[in-house]
Amino acid sequence: MTQLDIAPYRNQMPTELQGDLVLPDDIRPHGRPDTSTGSILVTGATGFLGSAVLAEALAECPDTHVYCLIRSAEDNAAIRLRTYLDNLCLWDESWAGRITAVVGDLRNTSLGLSQKDAEILASEVSLIYHSGAAVNLALPYAQVRDVNIDGTIGILRLATTQRPKRVVHMSTMSTVDITAHTDNVLQQPAPLGHFDDMVTGYARSKWVAELLVEQAAARGLDRVNIRMGALSGHTRTGVSNANDYAWLMLIACLEVGSTPIMNAPTNWLPVDDVARATVRLGLLPEAAGIHQILPSHQITYAQLFSWLRRAGYRLSAASFPLWRERILAQAIDGSRNVRIIGSVLPAGGLPGGAESEIRCIDTERTFASFGIPYPRLTEDGFNRLLQTARRRGEIPALENGSAA
């Protein structure tokens, strides 16, 4: 059994945080999981990505029972889960007997489970999709640490208790050194960036979580670690993530009737495509390891603005400083979307406008060898997001009343 040397990473962190990198000694994998039998556990099922993963797991594994860890009162867990799935237009009545909502809490290294539920999950589950996380980019490390780090430790402990389990850990491309590329092809796997280079508490906490998962892997854990970029809406249902930065940016443009002149990349990929790939990787024994998902064809904000205009929206163009002034002026009495974007817009524009397209060629080849369609946002898929958003009253109607 090998050990991952965490000293180089620990030395990057403030002294008071270095203990977060230590994986408890009792987390010791034993045996290889058989994911063709047993149940599935999904965390984060009341989140945008986790709900899509749940839907894809139920579709891919029609004979498998799925448990969902839900932070809720005992008698409200199932109701909370179904209400959330209903709101995202994902709920299917045929799922009623196939899903069990289990009360728990990722803020606790024991997952906040009752003794009975802990025993059930330890003995029945063979595959864990760990999507649950605190993703608020405005919160500091200390305020996301419990969910993103203690929760990961709790999942790793559950994975090594009783029945062997595979862990599919969903991470972010924000943790890596994006400069580790040759001829615009990102290294596979890319090294983690320096802790000080992580600009949000979320990215820092996921940086730590990845190292905890990799320590467990060095001890023998069967894991699939998936680093992903930004996620667009669900192209089948058309529902978008109301808190996604790029989506909020587009809504703000529609509300002020103007777009900034910029060519920054978005790294947007449809959440349902990414969820489907995640589920399938989890089911393939040979897919153990680290996978990085970036668009095979870069989509820029300029392209998204062009799609908005082609969909029928009349939008003027302005320099980024002038457009930002309009946003800040409207944010005083404007909608929630404009206020949020106005509060986080950098004065100098979004970074990355001059960056070359970075691709994960190894991941693209891996997906092709496994027969997994590579995620890609198309203009047709984008138009479905617009159509649904108009129907739900989330964006303005077209002036002429036509639909894209």
Side-chain angles (χ1 to χ4, degrees):
M1 184 176 295
T2 60
Q3 293 286 340
L4 178 68
D5 182 12
I6 63 171
Y9 303 102
R10 185 175 59 236
N11 293 338
Q12 298 176 25
M13 302 178 70
T15 303
E16 65 272 18
L17 301 181
Q18 291 178 3
D20 290 350
L21 269 184
V22 179
L23 183 69
D25 192 61
D26 65 296
I27 297 178
R28 296 283 171 180
H30 57 282
R32 306 300 295 176
D34 179 6
T35 58
S36 66
T37 63
S39 301
I40 292 173
L41 172 65
V42 176
T43 70
T46 54
F48 195 66
L49 172 60
S51 61
V53 168
L54 171 61
E56 295 300 330
L58 289 162
E60 289 285 333
C61 308
D63 299 321
T64 301
H65 195 80
V66 180
Y67 292 95
C68 297
L69 189 72
I70 305 294
R71 193 172 75 191
S72 178
E74 186 72 39
D75 57 348
N76 289 332
I79 296 173
R80 183 181 177 216
L81 175 60
R82 175 162 178 169
T83 300
Y84 187 81
L85 296 174
D86 264 334
N87 184 56
L88 295 184
C89 302
L90 285 173
W91 177 257
D92 187 317
E93 284 297 336
S94 67
W95 296 350
R98 299 182 52 205
I99 303 174
T100 298
V102 177
V103 176
D105 193 340
L106 287 174
R107 296 175 298 182
N108 192 313
T109 56
S110 65
L111 302 179
L113 295 166
S114 69
Q115 183 175 349
K116 176 183 176 182
D117 287 338
E119 177 66 30
I120 290 173
L121 297 182
S123 61
E124 291 189 16
V125 170
S126 62
L127 176 59
I128 301 173
Y129 289 101
H130 180 37
S131 165
V135 191
N136 190 325
L137 302 185
L139 294 179
Y141 178 89
Q143 292 186 36
V144 297
R145 180 199 170 281
D146 50 3
V147 172
N148 297 349
I149 296 175
D150 288 346
T152 298
I153 290 173
I155 289 297
L156 295 174
R157 179 170 285 123
L158 174 63
T160 56
T161 302
Q162 294 189 38
R163 183 175 187 147
K165 303 167 187 64
R166 164 176 273 197
V167 173
V168 180
H169 175 248
M170 279 152 263
S171 189
T172 169
M173 291 297 298
S174 299
T175 63
V176 308
D177 177 4
I178 201 67
T179 68
H181 61 83
T182 303
D183 296 330
N184 299 332
V185 176
L186 190 65
Q187 185 175 326
Q188 174 60 38
L192 291 173
H194 194 284
F195 185 79
D196 286 341
D197 292 337
M198 305 294 107
V199 296
T200 65
Y202 168 71
R204 289 185 169 191
S205 67
K206 295 299 285 186
W207 186 91
V208 173
E210 274 207 39
L211 286 166
L212 292 170
V213 171
E214 292 309 302
Q215 287 177 72
R219 296 179 187 178
L221 179 74
D222 182 5
R223 63 80 178 89
V224 179
N225 188 30
I226 303 178
R227 298 166 172 169
M228 56 190 72
L231 300 176
S232 75
H234 197 292
T235 55
R236 179 176 62 79
T237 67
V239 178
S240 294
N241 182 357
N243 297 311
D244 175 71
Y245 184 94
W247 183 245
L248 288 169
M249 181 89 164
L250 295 177
I251 295 178
C253 289
L254 294 176
E255 292 192 15
V256 300
S258 175
T259 65
I261 298 172
M262 65 179 195
N263 203 40
T266 65
N267 290 332
W268 242 13
L269 289 171
V271 67
D272 46 321
D273 285 358
V274 172
R276 188 174 305 113
T278 296
V279 168
R280 292 185 181 179
L281 287 172
L283 295 170
L284 293 167
E286 61 270 35
I290 298 175
H291 302 273
Q292 302 171 153
I293 307 178
L294 283 176
S296 58
H297 298 82
Q298 189 180 76
I299 295 177
T300 64
Y301 278 98
Q303 186 171 356
L304 294 178
F305 298 155
S306 175
W307 287 353
L308 282 176
R309 292 185 175 96
R310 284 157 56 132
Y313 287 101
R314 297 177 182 176
L315 301 167
S316 63
S319 67
F320 187 89
L322 178 58
W323 179 83
R324 182 172 180 269
E325 286 181 11
R326 292 175 181 172
I327 290 291
L328 295 178
Q330 188 154 330
I332 298 173
D333 299 311
S335 71
R336 163 189 176 272
N337 306 309
V338 175
R339 290 198 304 273
I340 291 175
I341 285 298
S343 69
V344 296
L345 279 176
L350 297 184
E355 289 181 1
S356 299
E357 180 174 340
I358 305 297
R359 294 176 61 182
C360 299
I361 297 294
D362 285 343
T363 303
E364 294 174 31
R365 290 171 177 163
T366 297
F367 278 34
S369 69
F370 290 153
I372 300 174
Y374 200 80
R376 183 178 182 182
L377 180 64
T378 65
E379 187 171 3
D380 285 344
F382 182 74
N383 282 333
R384 281 194 290 276
L385 303 183
L386 297 180
Q387 291 163 2
T388 300
R390 281 195 295 269
R391 189 172 64 249
R392 290 161 67 98
E394 297 167 352
I395 62 174
L398 293 171
E399 289 185 12
N400 60 10
S402 64

